[in-house]
Amino acid sequence: MSTREKMNPTLTPLADKTETANDRTRKFNFWRYFWLTFLVVSLAYAWYCFYVPTNNIAWADNYASAQKQAAASGKPIILYFTGTWCVPCRVMKRQVWADEEVKTLVNAQFIPLEIDLDNPNDAALIARYKVGGTPVTIITDSHGNTLRWRAGGLGKSEFIELLSEPSPSDGNDKS
């Protein structure tokens, strides 16, 4: 070791400086790939959360037309309270409403109506059923009387179970 290196211990041989530069390059490349991967995964997840496939549910246009259809057909109404910003609603639309079995069951036995919480035209309906969050699924008769309801996101099996539950009036009819 030279006298100069003894006086200033921070001096290192040239080989050590080259390794340090290589380490810096490796670290830089690692973080570059890490953040690039993070960005791609985040964008894919965001797309997945907001992607909603089309469904073939015969949605009623508004509450008045749903009531008329229900009265004419004798079918109950499904009120599905949702919002464009609601991620659990989008997941439910993707996993439940887009399912063929659900589509067949709903179109055959119910009059479905989708209600957006942000739509000012639906404010009276939201207040009537005291809906404060989304998603909420309410099954009513043609007069608007609640037969059964569930708050929160539902899976396909839970949703089909909700649809197949007997209504309170069915139990009263049996004497």
Side-chain angles (χ1 to χ4, degrees):
M1 196 183 288
S2 69
T3 311
R4 189 171 174 204
E5 289 176 343
K6 287 181 185 175
M7 294 178 66
N8 191 354
T10 58
L11 290 177
T12 57
L14 184 58
D16 289 343
K17 288 184 180 178
T18 306
E19 288 177 2
T20 305
N22 286 339
D23 287 343
R24 287 183 189 157
T25 303
R26 283 187 201 138
K27 286 180 183 179
F28 176 74
N29 284 337
F30 169 79
W31 286 109
R32 179 190 302 174
Y33 292 124
F34 172 81
W35 288 114
L36 183 62
T37 302
F38 180 77
L39 176 67
V40 169
V41 169
S42 298
L43 290 174
Y45 181 71
W47 178 82
Y48 175 77
C49 286
F50 289 98
Y51 167 73
V52 177
T54 59
N55 61 52
N56 295 322
I57 303 291
W59 297 102
D61 295 330
N62 55 44
Y63 187 66
S65 68
Q67 279 188 310
K68 288 177 188 174
Q69 290 175 20
S73 65
K75 296 178 184 178
I77 303 170
I78 296 178
L79 302 175
Y80 180 62
F81 293 87
T82 184
T84 55
W85 41 266
C86 175
V87 174
C89 299
R90 290 180 175 272
V91 170
M92 195 170 163
K93 288 175 186 176
R94 185 174 47 250
Q95 295 176 354
V96 177
W97 291 106
D99 185 78
E100 280 298 313
E101 183 181 356
V102 170
K103 177 198 79 136
T104 304
L105 182 64
V106 168
N107 287 340
Q109 298 179 11
F110 296 92
I111 306 297
L113 176 63
E114 185 176 23
I115 301 157
D116 187 353
L117 257 56
D118 295 327
N119 186 348
N121 297 333
D122 294 327
L125 197 58
I126 294 166
R128 175 181 178 178
Y129 290 102
K130 298 177 179 75
V131 175
T134 59
V136 173
T137 307
I138 301 175
I139 299 177
T140 70
D141 61 14
S142 61
H143 301 293
N145 301 318
T146 302
L147 303 175
R148 49 196 181 272
W149 65 276
R150 294 265 173 88
L154 301 173
K156 177 185 167 185
S157 60
E158 295 171 310
F159 187 75
I160 290 175
E161 181 182 309
L162 172 68
L163 298 181
S164 62
E165 286 178 5
S167 58
S169 62
D170 293 345
N172 295 339
D173 291 343
K174 296 177 184 175
S175 298

